[in-house]
Structure formats: C-alpha cells, structure tokens
Amino acid sequence: MDNTDNKLFQFLSKHLMGPMGKLAQFRIVRGVMAAGMASIPFTIVGSMFLIVSVIPQSFPSLAGIWAASFDKITSLYMIANTATMGILALYFCLVFGYEYTRIQAQEEKVNVNPLSGALLSMMAFFMCVPELLFKDGAMSLVNIVTKDQKIIDGWQMGGGVTRLGTTGIFTAIIMGILAVKIYTYCVKKNWTIKMPETVPAGVINSFMALIPTALIALTVIVINGALVFLNTDIFKVIAVPFGFVTNLTNTWVGLLVIYFIMHALWIVGIHGATIVTSFLTPIVLSNMAANQTGANLPFAGEFNNSFVTIGGSGATLGMVIFIAFFAKSAQLGALGKAAIVPAFFNINEPILFGMPVVYNPYTAIPFFLAPMASMSVAYFAIKLHMVNPPIAQVAWPTPGGLSGFIGSGGDWRAAVLGVVCALVAFLIWYPFIKFYDGKLARDEQTATAA
C-alpha cells in the first residue's frame, strides 16, 4: 500500500501534523516544555519522601513500626517534600523565565540576559501570590485564621505557602510571559541605563534590567489593583479557563481525545507524547497534589506510563514480547529481540521507526486503540475506587506494574492494574500484528524463493 495515497495519513498530515508542528515551535510552548522537564527531579524526589509517610496506609501491619520510627521525624523529612512539590510553581517560573528569555535573545537577536529574565519572572509571580481585599475604600492584606483556613498577611498557608505549589504553576507561566515580554521590549527600545564598556558585565546586566524591573513592577501593581478592586485576583481569573481544561482531562471522553491526538501525531512522525504532555504537565502535577489531600483523580502523576502507554507510545510492550518470541517474520523477530529490553522501560523508538509504526497502515489502528483501551480500564478502575489514585511522581522509565505500585503509594492493586492494562493493550494489538507478521513472512519467503 502506498502511504501517500492513504486518506487517513493525508488527513492527519494536513489537519493535525501541520498545526501541531507549528504549535510545538511557539516560543512559549518550548519554554513550558523546558520548565516541565526541569521540574521532573523535584517532583520525583519530593514524591519519594511522601511515599515514606503514607506506606502504613497501604500496609497497616507496618503502622506500629512507623509510629516508633519514621512518624517521629515526619516533620523533618517532609520538609524535602515542601521544598520540592510544595514550591513547584517557583521552579516552573524560574526555568520558564530563563528559557523564554534565552529563546528571545537567540531568535530576536536582543541583548537580554536569561538570568535577569528568570529573576524578573519570579518577581512578577511573587507580587501576585499575597491575597488582598478592597474594603472601606482601602486595600489591605487578607488575614484569616480558622480551623480550615490560614491566611497570614495575605500568604495562604497549608504545608507551606499554598500558592507556591502546583496551584500556582499557570500563574507563574503567565507572569513569566508578561515579565519577559516587557523586559525584551524595553531592551529593544533602548529603555535601559547605559554603562561604560569598562564596567563588569554583571554590573551592566543589573543596570540594564533596572528600568524593565520598575516597569514590570508597576504593570503587575496595576493589574493586581484592578482585579482586587473587582473582588478577585490573577489566580482566580486564570483558574477559570484552565479549570475548564483541567475538568476536561478528568473525564473519560476528554482523555480519549487527548490520547487520540497524542498518537495521531506519532503516526505522522511527530513526537506526540512530548508535545501533548508539555501542556498537561501542570495539570497532572496539580491533580497529584489534590490526590495527596484526598481527591480521586485518575489523570495524575505518571498515570500515562504507569497504566496507559506501557512499553512506550501505543502501549506496545505486549506486542514487542509477542514478535520477539513468536513472530514468523525474521525481520520482526530480530526487531522484537532488540527492542524487548528498552520496551520494559517504556522506550519504543526502535519499534516506532524500525517496524515501522510511523506511516504504517497495518499498525495504525492498534496504535490508536490500544492506549485508548488501557486508559479506559485504568480510568474506571481508579474512578470507581478499585485502585488508589496516583499520589507520587515516578520516573517515566519505571516498568509498568512497579510504576503503578510506587505512584499509588504502595497499593498492590495498582501493580495488578498495570499488568491488566498491558494485557488489554496486547489483545488489541494481537490480530493486527499477527496479520502483519504473516504478510512479512510471506514476503520474505517470496524474496528467498526468487
């Protein structure tokens, strides 16, 4: 079959690959992707300390041991969680501000300093964190101390400063965009303080950012003041549109759409997982934090690699095992044996480009359907409280089963769910890969006979 004549690939190339490819090149998107990748060590390390504290919930027999040991120093070691997951928005803000400024400097040929961009972004974000109110013709910082709520001098507390955690990621990104845009504009217009060339570079950069710093501060003050006057603030305003997107990802239909888009991009040669998850990282981290406080949101933490795409995009682990040991085609058999070890660690580029799956009409349907099926099984298992939801971040190469076990805080049922999801995905793959294997085997026999 000539792939170029296939209507499916023509449609995907025209209506999906082009728009999403352009979207991935947007500077803001690239900055968010960089921030998401930079946050991974912090989310994993912070999650590990959280797991230590919640293990007795999954294994009640250990409660006595924990009460005599770890529970006595919980306040000490959970500081590591507060300093990572608890201020994740700050990490996002700094990395995004740095990367976005670096991109501006490189592509706009503007003499802006990435470090200054990061610090300006942080300043703009911090100015939005305190809560204010407008009452009796004056603005003041909110002070509320009750059993359920604690806001001191505008800073809402709860396991650290609440708004510096995952709930502040979207605000951090918006403030980073604002700060870097103003900084870049000022430098372009030469609204900076000039220093002699003999002055050290660090001093020059500091004074060059002086006017932009003042302008950013004034801009944020005006925005905050206007919103407080209207009895709201930037956090609450941003929560409206992003809340809609978050709610969409917490529905089965919404996740079906997400995984369709992710794999449709892969089919036409674009790394769909990288593009789509870059937008979703703040959401899964926020959902994970909510699960830590009692929520039951399936799409959280490493839900994707723990239950959906076990073996890599397309949920190919079972298929790889099959071709490694049972393929009639020498080509597929050799490929399967070479790809089986990486597949256990959710790495399947050898399959995607070696089989290939990309632009292959024989594998396109299971590549779409398998992750949708495994996602559905995992979604409803968690939604119906059959399995604990993800509460901890796990390194994405962690093998399926083990990944779910760790991410759920030690729920053995999550490990079983991971195996079940991989099996369901394989059952989708089986008839298609068996047919494709037979075709290749026949082609190989014909070539040998000739």
Side-chain angles (χ1 to χ4, degrees):
M1 180 181 293
D2 186 354
N3 291 342
T4 59
D5 294 331
N6 187 282
K7 292 183 179 180
L8 172 64
F9 293 108
Q10 289 180 356
F11 176 83
L12 293 176
S13 296
K14 179 179 179 181
H15 298 286
L16 194 63
M17 183 176 71
M20 292 301 290
K22 293 179 180 178
L23 184 63
Q25 294 304 310
F26 285 178
R27 295 166 186 170
I28 292 174
V29 174
R30 286 149 59 194
V32 172
M33 290 171 64
M37 288 186 287
S39 70
I40 291 174
F42 303 103
T43 58
I44 293 176
V45 170
S47 295
M48 293 303 100
F49 286 97
L50 175 67
I51 289 173
V52 172
S53 69
V54 301
I55 282 179
Q57 296 177 23
S58 298
F59 301 96
S61 60
L62 297 176
I65 298 175
W66 251 244
S69 55
F70 290 107
D71 289 353
K72 294 183 180 297
I73 57 171
T74 298
S75 297
L76 173 64
Y77 68 76
M78 281 300 288
I79 291 176
N81 181 270
T82 304
T84 50
M85 287 294 297
I87 58 170
L88 200 59
L90 182 57
Y91 295 120
F92 257 80
C93 184
L94 286 169
V95 177
F96 175 82
Y98 184 95
E99 187 66 16
Y100 192 40
T101 307
R102 186 193 64 79
I103 294 172
Q104 295 279 4
Q106 186 177 37
E107 299 181 5
E108 292 283 338
K109 307 301 180 184
V110 183
N111 186 26
V112 287
N113 183 270
L115 181 58
S116 295
L119 296 176
L120 290 171
S121 299
M122 183 177 66
M123 180 196 73
F125 172 57
F126 264 102
M127 290 181 66
C128 297
V129 173
E131 298 183 48
L132 298 99
L133 58 82
F134 184 77
K135 186 177 181 181
D136 298 328
M139 291 191 183
S140 60
L141 293 167
V142 174
N143 279 283
I144 300 175
V145 179
T146 65
K147 180 181 178 181
D148 301 319
Q149 190 176 27
K150 185 185 296 182
I151 305 177
I152 302 173
D153 290 336
W155 297 81
Q156 187 176 48
M157 309 299 293
V161 180
T162 304
R163 286 186 164 185
L164 293 183
T166 54
T167 57
I169 290 177
F170 290 120
T171 302
I173 293 171
I174 297 298
M175 288 296 103
I177 295 171
L178 176 69
V180 174
K181 284 291 186 183
I182 292 176
Y183 176 34
T184 304
Y185 183 82
C186 289
V187 175
K188 279 184 176 180
K189 296 295 183 179
N190 289 318
W191 294 353
T192 59
I193 296 176
K194 300 292 190 298
M195 301 290 290
E197 294 183 359
T198 55
V199 176
V203 177
I204 292 176
N205 290 332
S206 298
F207 276 87
M208 184 176 290
L210 188 58
I211 293 177
T213 301
L215 189 56
I216 291 167
L218 289 173
T219 302
V220 177
I221 287 172
V222 170
I223 293 173
N224 284 346
L227 292 175
V228 172
F229 183 77
L230 296 173
N231 198 33
T232 185
D233 62 26
I234 189 69
F235 274 81
K236 296 172 185 175
V237 170
I238 290 176
V240 175
F242 286 108
F244 171 78
V245 176
T246 301
N247 291 334
L248 184 65
T249 64
N250 291 328
T251 67
W252 175 62
V253 174
L255 289 179
L256 284 177
V257 173
I258 287 171
Y259 281 102
F260 173 81
I261 293 174
M262 184 185 299
H263 289 83
L265 289 169
W266 259 124
I267 282 290
V268 291
I270 294 180
H271 201 306
T274 298
I275 294 175
V276 175
T277 55
S278 67
F279 293 101
L280 300 176
T281 296
I283 294 175
V284 295
L285 292 176
S286 180
N287 286 350
M288 184 175 72
N291 286 342
Q292 293 170 5
T293 57
N296 187 56
L297 303 173
F299 193 60
E302 203 52 60
F303 174 81
N304 180 55
N305 288 305
S306 295
F307 306 115
V308 183
T309 59
I310 296 177
S313 294
T316 56
L317 177 61
M319 182 267 284
V320 171
I321 295 174
F322 174 79
I323 64 174
F325 296 104
F326 303 104
K328 296 178 181 179
S329 164
Q331 174 189 332
L332 281 188
L335 180 64
K337 289 179 175 63
I340 192 168
V341 173
F344 276 103
F345 298 93
N346 300 321
I347 300 169
N348 68 345
E349 277 75 5
I351 289 293
L352 295 180
F353 298 103
M355 181 176 283
V357 171
V358 174
Y359 281 108
N360 188 340
Y362 295 101
T363 58
I365 293 177
F367 190 72
F368 281 115
L369 293 183
M372 289 182 174
S374 57
M375 178 279 295
S376 299
V377 171
Y379 176 86
F380 287 110
I382 295 172
K383 202 72 174 176
L384 297 176
H385 298 275
M386 298 169 65
V387 174
N388 290 342
I391 62 168
Q393 187 72 13
V394 185
W396 67 265
T398 306
L402 178 60
S403 177
F405 176 77
I406 297 174
S408 63
D411 185 359
W412 64 268
R413 297 170 300 177
V416 175
L417 177 60
V419 175
V420 170
C421 287
L423 179 60
V424 168
F426 171 67
L427 292 177
I428 300 291
W429 270 102
Y430 180 72
F432 295 93
I433 196 62
K434 190 171 178 60
F435 175 81
Y436 186 52
D437 176 45
K439 176 186 178 301
L440 289 180
R442 289 190 297 272
D443 290 346
E444 289 169 1
Q445 289 175 358
T446 301
T448 301

